[in-house]
Amino acid sequence: MDQLNVDVAIIGAGTAGMRAYREVSQVTDNVLLIESGPYGTTCARVGCMPSKLLIAAAEAAHQGARSAEFGVAYAPPEIDGRAVMKRVREERDRFAGFVVDAVEAWPEHHRIKAKARFRSDHELELDDGRVVSANTIVIATGSRTNVSPMFKGFGDRQIVNDDVFNWEDLPHSVVVFGAGVIGLELGQALHRLGVRVTIFGRDNLVGPLTDPVVVNRASEIFVAEMDFHPHGEVTRHARSDSGGVEIDYEVDGTSRTERFDYALIATGRRPNVDDIGLENTSLERDDRGVPVYDVFNSRCGDSHIFIAGDANNRFPLLHEAADEGFAAGYNAARYPSVRRFAKSSPISVIFTDPQIMMVGMSFRELTGQGVEFRIGEVDWSDQGRSRVMLVNQGVLRVYGERNTGRFLGAEMVGPRAENVAHLLAWACQSNLTVNEMLERPFYHPVIEEGVRTALRNLNLALEMGSETPPRCLDCGAGS
Amino acid sequence: MDQLNVDVAIIGAGTAGMRAYREVSQVTDNVLLIESGPYGTTCARVGCMPSKLLIAAAEAAHQGARSAEFGVAYAPPEIDGRAVMKRVREERDRFAGFVVDAVEAWPEHHRIKAKARFRSDHELELDDGRVVSANTIVIATGSRTNVSPMFKGFGDRQIVNDDVFNWEDLPHSVVVFGAGVIGLELGQALHRLGVRVTIFGRDNLVGPLTDPVVVNRASEIFVAEMDFHPHGEVTRHARSDSGGVEIDYEVDGTSRTERFDYALIATGRRPNVDDIGLENTSLERDDRGVPVYDVFNSRCGDSHIFIAGDANNRFPLLHEAADEGFAAGYNAARYPSVRRFAKSSPISVIFTDPQIMMVGMSFRELTGQGVEFRIGEVDWSDQGRSRVMLVNQGVLRVYGERNTGRFLGAEMVGPRAENVAHLLAWACQSNLTVNEMLERPFYHPVIEEGVRTALRNLNLALEMGSETPPRCLDCGAGS
């Protein structure tokens, strides 16, 4: 039996694994990166990049109808589904190709194409029969869509996000299960590209939002635009005789039956830790089967094993995966010396239209932890610049700590949320007070002036600021 | 002769004057706000707001052509000039109406409609014959377009920005003199709305940009889109017989004659201080006729007279006018106690497409003051998210102080410059180092990742960071 002895073994060559490799390879040449599938990250292949490509096309398809109010009239566009999907695939392949090129440029003796399973705390069994013995190990196996067995009846018409990006053409109709990030982003994009879409959510949740005011507003906005059921009551799922899928669901007490070409399952993701032999290790695992680990150093318990990225399912976001991969690689290479790394301020963005964002502590975390905080709010519908651009819908809620005035976090649905999120996440990481944020410049007329209004309202709620006159005239008309 | 005795007299009820009034009226009831024209700010009536309304329509007209590459084909839009201008005027009137309502809600004995001129350091002569004697005075008389006499030949076809926003319909053709903020914003917007536009700049300048790399890129982009001559050689200006204007100009040594409906003069603005009797005061004036004043307390010399807003012509920006008005009002009300106020970090944005922005210290200031600094750069053409949205053009240059690593400023032409400007201006005001900025979160895929690339390059140039791998793969494909 072939035995390989290495300093560090990394299971998975996605974002976290690549980042870990980059750290480890600076310290030792005796490192092995083990990948069972094709190279390329979830983000580049089936995640952030292709979804944003589809969304860009969808926004283009949506622009024309919005323009009439400006005095600029477009006839409805011709949406060439094959051309739309061709650009999505080609650009996706280009981005993913960079990743593959990078990995393949790394020394061959650092890489193995195989599926690895733990045989013991220090040993990995490969599916080609070899065994890897490692001083330290990084688990970076990623995640996959969590498909409930209840969808089994859809047969080959049941798809996940990965499948969408391989389409050659747009289908006529899709039913989407799940109103999380993937369900909302893809569902709305397909809807805008002319696909008949119905989205079923659960428990009236909208993406990861937790502030009831923001959840409700987001829900109203998406319900108004498309066939979105925030708490869908689907009573039957089946493969339909005509080749698609068929569902029964209830609306206002009446039952309906509808048929679609595909059922897109977007009911969350699960970490790929169920088939890597963790039962052969001494690691303690939580109820999802994920090893108990420290989020600040990526270390599992007090072991020599580290976990990073979607495999721990904590923040399934690219930038978090990269940070965790860094910590895991840094520590795996230097073990038993283990260092903790401060986390950057939390930030998440959903690329719906309007966009959704959350930064810092969420409303649920603040209330759950009993933090004494106050809330400031702005309604985007009357915000000057948003109104000028006809993107004036949504709400921003900002949270500040009572007595210290420190800015704690925000939740929002509204225009340019991705940009507002960075401004606020950076302010959060800088530990700014609301007053300090208000001392910073706000140009005119910009979306950021809406942030100022929310912060002023927050300052007032904190009893740390004075009332500003209505519409704060000398701050710019309609700011 | 009627004589009014007041604690504080404020000349001009624009942004600066209104802000000053708001401070003064908290301290004394004996205040007088003197305005000779209609109420409403430059910003709301003829500046930021109506220009952004026109630009929003122009972007809508431009979207359709951009969409084909997404697989979404639009026929050219029908641009209804009357409808375009109707929305611009109606929304402008709405915004300006808020301002008028606010001023008119203030006590009547605080307001006078009259033109005021200094008779002495403490006395103002009104054009209705009355005299106002004041302990302290705030000059907030604003600015107007600087029209060179050389344009006289255009007669009634010579227009300024104010006139554009009163149009009932779009004209067929406009020649624009000046490639500053107003010339570029309005010129490009009219061009995109189907008006035949030629823009003549001077000295190859583009807006307020000072970094030669950014100036050149901006120039290339705008020259490629429209008939823009960054250094126009116009040899003759005349009213044409056919009712419009006629100009001769030279391109590559050949002379051309062209006719347009209007000549829009956008060659800068001049402070309204030439007709307010400053010669009757003891104030020292600079070569533009503006009283010498302290930018941190708005005070003219060591006098009891303050100046704020466009009247001092230093930063003709709404938020600066408001800040200066605050300082002027605060100090005029409390004189002889005078306080200095820290300025917020400089920020300016030009709403062309792509947008232009500058924050912190400009390239010219840094080199002029002999600051030892380094430069980081990102070219937007290969930035992932920009490419996804097909807005991938432009360049960002960021400046950092050698040895301290402190972030000093930036200049940019490119996507979402207005949002990037806020992120960077806030970082500047927070005195962050480049390393500290890089510790802050960058989501994926976002425009802000381009900022990160520029900051990483800057850190490398400062010898304070390590080389990142090409395309920084684990930071997100194409980030």
Side-chain angles (χ1 to χ4, degrees):
Chain A
M1 190 183 67
D2 245 11
Q3 166 114 8
L4 300 162
N5 294 300
V6 297
D7 291 338
V8 185
I10 301 166
I11 318 175
T15 300
M18 290 171 72
R19 187 73 186 88
Y21 170 81
R22 192 142 75 79
E23 284 312 304
V24 173
S25 62
Q26 285 170 31
V27 177
T28 174
D29 184 55
N30 198 8
V31 52
L32 209 51
L33 183 61
I34 308 166
E35 170 64 55
S36 63
Y39 288 132
T41 62
T42 294
C43 165
R45 293 178 55 244
V46 296
C48 348
M49 294 314 278
S51 61
K52 263 82 268 176
L53 286 160
L54 195 72
I55 287 166
E59 301 221 331
H62 190 66
Q63 289 301 330
R66 276 184 56 236
S67 296
E69 199 169 332
F70 292 115
V72 175
Y74 284 100
E78 278 193 37
I79 299 169
D80 179 345
R82 299 190 75 85
V84 168
M85 292 314 303
K86 185 161 177 276
R87 176 171 192 258
V88 170
R89 287 197 321 276
E90 284 180 355
E91 286 290 309
R92 184 267 316 264
D93 290 347
R94 180 177 169 274
F95 288 123
F98 295 142
V99 181
V100 176
D101 291 350
V103 179
E104 291 183 344
W106 292 340
E108 268 196 58
H109 66 280
H110 285 179
R111 298 182 279 126
I112 280 191
K113 272 286 182 123
K115 175 151 176 48
R117 284 175 59 87
F118 280 91
R119 194 157 89 156
S120 69
D121 281 352
H122 279 284
E123 284 176 315
L124 300 171
E125 197 168 57
L126 306 188
D127 59 357
D128 60 13
R130 288 183 290 181
V131 168
V132 175
S133 177
N135 284 342
T136 60
I137 298 171
V138 176
I139 303 169
T141 45
S143 65
R144 65 184 186 276
T145 304
N146 188 28
V147 182
S148 155
M150 79 179 177
F151 296 122
K152 223 170 168 178
F154 290 144
D156 64 350
R157 287 295 169 137
Q158 170 214 293
I159 56 170
V160 297
N161 54 313
D162 307 34
D163 303 306
V164 169
F165 306 120
N166 284 324
W167 280 343
E168 295 274 328
D169 198 351
L170 291 168
H172 287 103
S173 55
V174 174
V175 56
V176 179
F177 290 89
V181 178
I182 295 171
L184 281 178
E185 286 189 357
L186 296 186
Q188 186 185 37
L190 293 173
H191 162 71
R192 291 185 166 190
L193 287 164
V195 177
R196 178 169 61 82
V197 170
T198 295
I199 303 176
F200 293 105
R202 280 294 287 272
D203 302 324
N204 295 303
L205 295 177
V206 182
L209 288 169
T210 74
D211 185 320
V213 172
V214 187
V215 170
N216 286 342
R217 184 68 59 87
S219 195
E220 281 167 22
I221 291 170
F222 297 123
V223 165
E225 180 184 337
M226 51 190 182
D227 193 28
F228 169 40
H229 304 270
H231 185 63
E233 292 286 2
V234 178
T235 52
R236 189 176 64 96
H237 315 79
R239 188 81 164 74
S240 97
D241 297 337
S242 53
V245 302
E246 196 172 279
I247 57 160
D248 293 351
Y249 66 102
E250 291 190 359
V251 178
D252 305 329
T254 350
S255 184
R256 290 192 202 170
T257 300
E258 281 201 65
R259 291 184 184 77
F260 301 88
D261 290 342
Y262 293 100
L264 172 62
I265 313 301
T267 45
R269 294 179 70 83
R270 59 184 292 185
N272 293 329
V273 291
D274 49 333
D275 191 27
I276 56 169
L278 286 177
E279 63 281 8
N280 302 322
T281 68
S282 60
L283 298 181
E284 186 193 346
R285 284 172 284 160
D286 65 19
D287 50 10
R288 300 163 309 159
V290 174
V292 174
Y293 77 105
D294 182 335
V295 72
F296 295 97
N297 61 19
S298 295
R299 184 182 186 187
C300 301
D302 56 359
S303 78
H304 59 281
I305 301 174
F306 302 83
I307 187 165
D310 287 8
N312 67 39
N313 210 26
R314 191 177 169 113
F315 304 108
L317 303 172
L318 177 124
H319 73 283
E320 296 279 0
D323 288 350
E324 291 171 11
F326 164 78
Y330 186 98
N331 285 325
R334 289 165 179 84
Y335 186 82
S337 159
V338 173
R339 192 156 150 181
R340 305 181 94 225
F341 294 91
K343 302 287 284 182
S344 62
S345 184
I347 180 173
S348 61
V349 179
I350 322 304
F351 295 80
T352 44
D353 176 27
Q355 296 182 326
I356 289 168
M357 73 89 184
M358 298 168 69
V359 300
M361 290 180 80
S362 69
F363 182 86
R364 184 189 292 141
E365 285 170 327
L366 289 167
T367 47
Q369 296 176 22
V371 177
E372 213 186 335
F373 73 106
R374 293 292 179 270
I375 302 175
E377 185 178 315
V378 69
D379 186 316
W380 292 103
S381 61
D382 201 32
Q383 200 271 327
R385 183 77 194 296
S386 309
R387 190 178 156 112
V388 165
M389 300 195 292
L390 293 177
V391 292
N392 51 325
Q393 57 175 354
V395 64
L396 164 67
R397 302 248 289 177
V398 289
Y399 318 122
E401 190 172 51
R402 189 158 150 82
N403 301 330
T404 66
R406 199 160 61 90
F407 173 67
L408 294 174
E411 299 195 19
M412 163 176 171
V413 58
R416 301 272 169 111
E418 62 180 299
N419 307 111
V420 170
H422 282 84
L423 191 70
L424 292 181
W426 285 35
C428 194
Q429 186 155 339
S430 296
N431 274 309
L432 297 187
T433 64
V434 177
N435 261 318
E436 286 168 333
M437 291 165 81
L438 287 169
E439 283 166 8
R440 274 149 183 77
F442 294 85
Y443 205 72
H444 178 71
V446 292
I447 297 287
E448 285 79 359
E449 290 174 292
V451 176
R452 180 175 59 190
T453 302
L455 291 172
R456 282 181 170 153
N457 292 338
L458 173 54
N459 228 13
L460 201 61
L462 290 164
E463 299 164 67
M464 290 177 169
S466 52
E467 192 111 29
T468 45
R471 296 179 180 277
C472 186
L473 290 170
D474 38 34
C475 318
S479 69
Chain B
M1 190 184 66
D2 246 10
Q3 166 115 7
L4 300 162
N5 294 299
V6 297
D7 291 338
V8 184
I10 301 165
I11 319 175
T15 300
M18 290 172 72
R19 187 73 186 85
Y21 169 82
R22 193 142 74 79
E23 283 311 304
V24 173
S25 62
Q26 285 170 31
V27 177
T28 174
D29 184 55
N30 198 8
V31 52
L32 209 51
L33 183 61
I34 308 166
E35 170 64 55
S36 63
Y39 288 132
T41 62
T42 294
C43 165
R45 293 178 56 246
V46 296
C48 349
M49 294 313 278
S51 60
K52 263 82 268 175
L53 287 160
L54 195 72
I55 287 167
E59 301 221 332
H62 190 67
Q63 288 301 329
R66 276 185 55 235
S67 295
E69 200 170 331
F70 292 116
V72 175
Y74 283 101
E78 278 192 36
I79 299 169
D80 178 344
R82 300 190 75 86
V84 168
M85 292 313 305
K86 185 162 178 277
R87 176 172 193 258
V88 169
R89 287 196 321 276
E90 284 180 356
E91 286 289 310
R92 184 268 316 263
D93 290 346
R94 180 177 168 274
F95 288 123
F98 296 143
V99 181
V100 176
D101 291 351
V103 180
E104 290 183 345
W106 292 341
E108 268 196 60
H109 66 280
H110 285 179
R111 298 182 279 128
I112 280 190
K113 273 284 182 126
K115 173 147 178 53
R117 284 176 58 88
F118 280 91
R119 194 157 89 156
S120 69
D121 279 352
H122 279 285
E123 284 176 314
L124 300 171
E125 198 168 55
L126 306 188
D127 58 358
D128 59 12
R130 289 183 290 180
V131 169
V132 175
S133 175
N135 284 341
T136 60
I137 298 171
V138 175
I139 303 170
T141 45
S143 65
R144 64 184 186 277
T145 304
N146 188 26
V147 182
S148 156
M150 79 179 176
F151 297 121
K152 224 170 167 179
F154 290 144
D156 63 351
R157 287 295 168 137
Q158 170 213 294
I159 56 171
V160 297
N161 54 312
D162 307 34
D163 303 307
V164 169
F165 307 120
N166 285 324
W167 280 343
E168 295 275 328
D169 199 350
L170 291 169
H172 287 103
S173 55
V174 174
V175 56
V176 179
F177 290 88
V181 178
I182 296 171
L184 281 178
E185 286 189 358
L186 296 187
Q188 186 184 37
L190 293 173
H191 161 72
R192 290 185 166 190
L193 286 165
V195 177
R196 179 169 60 84
V197 170
T198 296
I199 304 176
F200 292 104
R202 280 295 286 274
D203 303 324
N204 294 304
L205 295 177
V206 182
L209 289 169
T210 75
D211 185 321
V213 172
V214 186
V215 170
N216 286 343
R217 185 68 60 89
S219 195
E220 281 168 23
I221 291 170
F222 297 124
V223 165
E225 181 184 338
M226 51 191 180
D227 193 26
F228 169 39
H229 304 269
H231 185 62
E233 292 285 3
V234 178
T235 52
R236 190 177 63 96
H237 316 78
R239 188 82 164 74
S240 98
D241 297 337
S242 54
V245 302
E246 197 173 278
I247 58 160
D248 294 351
Y249 66 103
E250 291 189 359
V251 178
D252 305 328
T254 349
S255 184
R256 290 191 202 170
T257 299
E258 282 202 64
R259 291 183 185 79
F260 301 88
D261 291 342
Y262 293 100
L264 173 62
I265 313 301
T267 45
R269 294 178 71 83
R270 59 184 293 185
N272 292 330
V273 291
D274 49 333
D275 191 27
I276 56 169
L278 286 176
E279 62 281 9
N280 303 322
T281 68
S282 60
L283 298 181
E284 186 193 346
R285 285 172 283 159
D286 66 17
D287 50 10
R288 300 164 310 159
V290 175
V292 174
Y293 76 105
D294 182 335
V295 71
F296 295 97
N297 60 19
S298 295
R299 184 183 186 186
C300 301
D302 55 1
S303 78
H304 58 282
I305 301 173
F306 301 83
I307 187 165
D310 287 8
N312 66 41
N313 209 26
R314 192 178 168 112
F315 304 107
L317 303 172
L318 178 123
H319 73 283
E320 295 279 0
D323 289 351
E324 292 170 11
F326 164 77
Y330 187 98
N331 286 325
R334 290 166 179 82
Y335 186 83
S337 159
V338 173
R339 191 157 152 182
R340 306 181 94 224
F341 294 91
K343 302 288 284 182
S344 61
S345 184
I347 179 172
S348 60
V349 179
I350 322 302
F351 295 80
T352 45
D353 177 26
Q355 296 183 326
I356 289 168
M357 72 89 182
M358 297 169 68
V359 300
M361 290 180 81
S362 69
F363 182 86
R364 184 189 292 141
E365 285 170 327
L366 288 167
T367 46
Q369 296 177 23
V371 177
E372 213 185 336
F373 73 106
R374 293 290 179 271
I375 302 175
E377 185 178 316
V378 68
D379 186 317
W380 292 102
S381 60
D382 201 33
Q383 200 271 327
R385 183 76 194 298
S386 309
R387 189 179 158 110
V388 165
M389 299 196 292
L390 293 177
V391 292
N392 51 325
Q393 57 176 352
V395 65
L396 164 66
R397 301 248 290 177
V398 288
Y399 316 122
E401 191 172 52
R402 188 158 150 84
N403 301 332
T404 66
R406 199 161 63 90
F407 173 66
L408 295 174
E411 299 195 18
M412 162 176 170
V413 58
R416 301 272 170 111
E418 62 180 299
N419 308 111
V420 170
H422 283 84
L423 191 69
L424 293 181
W426 285 35
C428 193
Q429 186 156 339
S430 295
N431 274 309
L432 297 186
T433 64
V434 176
N435 261 317
E436 286 168 333
M437 291 165 81
L438 287 169
E439 283 166 7
R440 275 150 183 76
F442 293 85
Y443 206 72
H444 178 72
V446 292
I447 297 287
E448 285 79 359
E449 290 174 291
V451 176
R452 180 175 60 191
T453 302
L455 290 172
R456 282 181 170 154
N457 292 338
L458 173 54
N459 228 13
L460 201 62
L462 289 165
E463 299 164 66
M464 290 177 168
S466 52
E467 192 110 29
T468 44
R471 296 179 179 277
C472 186
L473 289 169
D474 38 33
C475 318
S479 70

